[in-house]
Each structure stands twice: as C-alpha cells, then as structure tokens.
Amino acid sequence: MLYKVIDKPDLELLFNTFLGNATVIAPIKTGKSYSFSEVHSFDEVELDYHTTLTSLKKFFIPKHETLFEFDENNEIHDCEIYPRSRVLFGAHACDINAINNLNLVFEDQERPDPYYKKRKSKTMIVGISCMPTKTCFCHNLGVQEAKGGYDLFLQDLGDRYFVSIGSVEGADVLESSCSPRDTTDEDRKLFLERTRLRQEAFSKEIPEIQEIPMLMDAFHDDPFWEEMGKKCLSCTACAQVCPTCYCFNIIDTLNANGKGGKRERIPDCCTNPEFAQVTGGFNFRDSNVSRVRHRMYHKLNGFYSKYDRYLCVGCGRGARACKAGISPSEVLKFFANKEFE
C-alpha cells in the first residue's frame, strides 16, 4: 500500500477531476439524514456525515433489473447493459467492506454475475474516515477499517488528508489532479492518534464478543430466538437498508398485449414469509422465529464459514430501521448476558 498526504483545498481539485470524467455519487444532506446521490458540484457533498439511510448496494443491485426479454414465439433477447463510468466518493469503511462482501458472491469464479461485474468494472471508490454513531459496531466484527476494495481512502488530519492509495488508477488521478507529497513522521503519528480516538468513540452499550460463530451454534435452540422472532413484523425493512443483503426473486412479466414480456430480478428477503415456500405450499421456514434466526445465522455464522468474514459489517442501519428492535447488535448483547447467568 502506498501513502501520501494532500492539503484540504486539494480535495476539491481531486473531486473535480473525477467529475470531469465520470458520474460522481457522494453523500448529500436529505432532510434530517444523509443519502448517496449523483452530484454535480463539490458544494453538494457532505463528507462529515453520519451513516446514510440506505447503502451503496443500490448502485450495484438495482431494485428492478431486466435480465432478458422474450417474444410471442418464446425467442429470447438478451438485455445488454452499458453502465457509465462512475466514482463512489466519500464511502465509509463499513460500506466499502459491504461491497467487498458482495464481490465474493457476485464475482464468484465459477458463477460470476455478468450484470454485477459490468457495473463493478466501471466503478471507482474513494473512501473517507468517520466517527461512529451509537448504533455502529463494525469494530466488534473486525471491519472498522477498509483494508482493500478502494482506489483511494482519506483520513482527515485537520488541515490535510492522509491518503491510502489502493489502485494504479487511483494513484494516477491523485497525481494528475493535485500535489500529493510523501508522509512524514508527524503525519503518521497524527494518523495513529485519529485512529485511536475513533476506536475509543464506539458505544460501550454494544459488547465485544469473541467466537460469535461458535456461540450462534451453541445457542441455536435458545428461547431468545422465540422472543426475538415473535416481535418480527415481516416488513423486510432490514433487508432494504442492509448493505449486504443480496437475496433476490425472479419474475416474468407479460406485456399488456399478452405477446411477449420480460424476466426481471427483484430484491427479496429471508424474513419474507413466502421466501422459503416451494411448489405444493410447503414452507421450509414457516415461522417468524425460524426466519429471524436464519437471517442472523447467515450474517454471523453461515457466510463466515465459507468466506472467513462476517456478512454483517456493523453499520447499524438494521437497528435504526427495525421498529421491533431486531438487529445483530441485539444478538451480541444476548451473548454478553449469557456470560453473567
């Protein structure tokens, strides 16, 4: 990894270089919250932002995606996508790690998803450091830092930025847009100080738990899941805001004249009561309890067993979106309480 330092005013120069060559998507203020949106000026960007309501996932996995069209003779017509070059500017570490997790699924070497890969190939990512909110717990899952998956990553040092360079393309843009300089001992010390302050700012209300996958197995049949599952409203809000929920459904839609139509991919969620229902009406997970437990198991155990990393990135969006108070952080609190019984 290569590291440089740029002065604060240089950031707008970097932004404008990206803007001149690609679509730029960045955090903006929307009412009382923030969201990622296409921007056309550096003045629109809010880099000192709390976690956005929704994640960057929507720019890789659309809500409705046409896979192909078919005519009245059942002839298939592929739908090619031609994504524009774009830059995701100002992404937090949790959202970068979330995209890294989605890459493992959709860029799988045996069964890569061509739609996802095309969008990913046209995307550059510029990350920026942040301070945690009371619902953040990325540090509990070992993903408080983005160790890869970005082109540039910025750590605010006050009057300058400490820049981690993650790609040749990122280095080229940095060099061509502003005047980066080598880091000094003072820069590195300040970087470590800012990192320490961030670590200390995490809420102590969410406990640090070791061996989470093992505990998920050990307490698989605990009454806790009954209590949590009964609260679930099956609204699927959790999956809508989660940056790593990637389940989907496939539907065929006929044209109005009944001649031909299209096949679409739409998001789905494992807490949807019909998610595990098969032909004949049998449902493999026919209760809220089994569905909630399955979702948490996948986030904190199942994905880990295959990829050696948690699917959950501790962004806290689920805790804020769920009206019933169901979230991975509640599972961690449950494990902590078990230690004192």
Side-chain angles (χ1 to χ4, degrees):
M1 193 74 70
L2 185 63
Y3 304 100
K4 295 287 184 178
V5 169
I6 62 172
D7 293 321
K8 272 287 178 69
D10 282 351
L11 186 60
E12 185 170 356
L13 298 176
L14 176 64
F15 173 89
N16 288 334
T17 299
F18 283 124
L19 190 62
N21 297 284
T23 298
V24 178
I25 295 162
I28 63 171
K29 193 82 165 67
T30 52
K32 295 182 180 181
S33 60
Y34 300 88
S35 65
F36 288 111
S37 182
E38 182 177 344
V39 295
H40 305 282
S41 166
F42 188 70
D43 292 336
E44 298 177 68
V45 182
E46 295 280 350
L47 291 178
D48 185 19
Y49 70 100
H50 301 308
T51 307
T52 55
L53 182 62
T54 57
S55 72
L56 291 167
K57 177 179 68 175
K58 62 185 177 182
F59 298 105
F60 295 92
I61 308 175
K63 286 190 175 296
H64 285 82
E65 181 168 33
T66 301
L67 304 180
F68 60 79
E69 296 178 346
F70 53 91
D71 58 29
E72 57 187 326
N73 298 315
N74 286 330
E75 293 290 331
I76 302 299
H77 307 282
D78 290 334
C79 290
E80 290 288 335
I81 64 169
Y82 301 96
R84 295 178 296 170
S85 296
R86 60 191 182 178
V87 180
L88 306 182
F89 193 90
H92 286 169
C94 59
D95 281 320
I96 294 174
N97 283 312
I99 293 171
N100 291 340
N101 285 351
L102 295 178
N103 293 343
L104 293 172
V105 177
F106 289 97
E107 293 186 325
D108 178 85
Q109 291 185 355
E110 294 184 7
R111 302 176 187 84
D113 186 291
Y115 308 92
Y116 183 94
K117 286 191 68 176
K118 280 189 176 181
R119 292 187 178 92
K120 181 67 175 13
S121 69
K122 291 290 187 176
T123 304
M124 293 185 71
I125 298 176
V126 178
I128 192 165
S129 59
C130 61
M131 291 298 286
T133 66
K134 65 179 182 179
T135 56
C136 295
F137 59 102
C138 56
H139 66 307
N140 290 353
L141 304 175
V143 288
Q144 67 270 36
E145 298 178 8
K147 298 179 180 179
Y150 57 81
D151 296 277
L152 300 170
F153 195 93
L154 311 170
Q155 169 67 57
D156 191 341
L157 299 184
D159 62 346
R160 58 198 186 277
Y161 287 104
F162 191 99
V163 185
S164 301
I165 301 174
S167 73
V168 173
E169 293 81 4
D172 289 343
V173 176
L174 189 69
E175 289 286 346
S176 64
S177 62
C178 51
S179 302
R181 57 183 183 274
D182 292 338
T183 60
T184 64
D185 285 345
E186 181 184 353
D187 295 326
R188 290 186 284 271
K189 288 178 181 178
L190 189 52
F191 174 84
L192 292 174
E193 175 66 15
R194 293 299 175 94
T195 302
R196 182 185 63 80
L197 290 174
R198 180 175 183 270
Q199 191 71 16
E200 293 175 350
F202 281 100
S203 171
K204 303 301 187 292
E205 294 181 7
I206 304 175
E208 295 188 36
I209 301 296
Q210 306 297 318
E211 302 295 339
I212 297 173
M214 183 274 290
L215 293 172
M216 291 295 293
D217 282 334
F219 294 103
H220 184 270
D221 297 320
D222 194 274
F224 165 78
W225 298 111
E226 189 78 21
E227 298 171 12
M228 180 171 279
K230 285 181 177 179
K231 296 189 296 182
C232 181
L233 303 174
S234 299
C235 67
T236 73
C238 52
Q240 302 303 316
V241 300
C242 178
T244 61
C245 276
Y246 56 82
C247 291
F248 58 85
N249 194 7
I250 300 291
I251 59 172
D252 287 343
T253 304
L254 289 176
N255 295 332
N257 61 9
K259 298 180 179 180
K262 59 184 177 181
R263 175 161 293 180
E264 293 181 292
R265 173 163 59 184
I266 60 174
D268 204 349
C269 176
C270 58
T271 58
N272 175 0
E274 298 178 352
F275 183 84
Q277 185 171 310
V278 296
T279 302
F282 182 77
N283 196 325
F284 288 93
R285 289 186 288 277
D286 60 358
S287 68
N288 282 355
V289 174
S290 61
R291 290 189 287 271
V292 168
R293 180 172 57 191
H294 171 80
R295 183 172 187 274
M296 296 300 173
Y297 196 90
H298 188 214
K299 296 288 184 187
L300 300 173
N301 184 308
F303 195 85
Y304 188 96
S305 67
K306 183 173 183 178
Y307 296 110
D308 199 32
R309 58 190 297 163
Y310 297 106
L311 183 58
C312 178
V313 293
C315 66
R317 288 186 176 96
R320 293 191 294 274
C322 182
K323 302 304 181 183
I326 301 171
S327 73
S329 59
E330 294 302 309
V331 177
L332 301 185
K333 292 177 184 178
F334 159 67
F335 290 147
N337 290 335
K338 280 294 181 180
E339 294 179 5
F340 298 101
E341 289 185 358

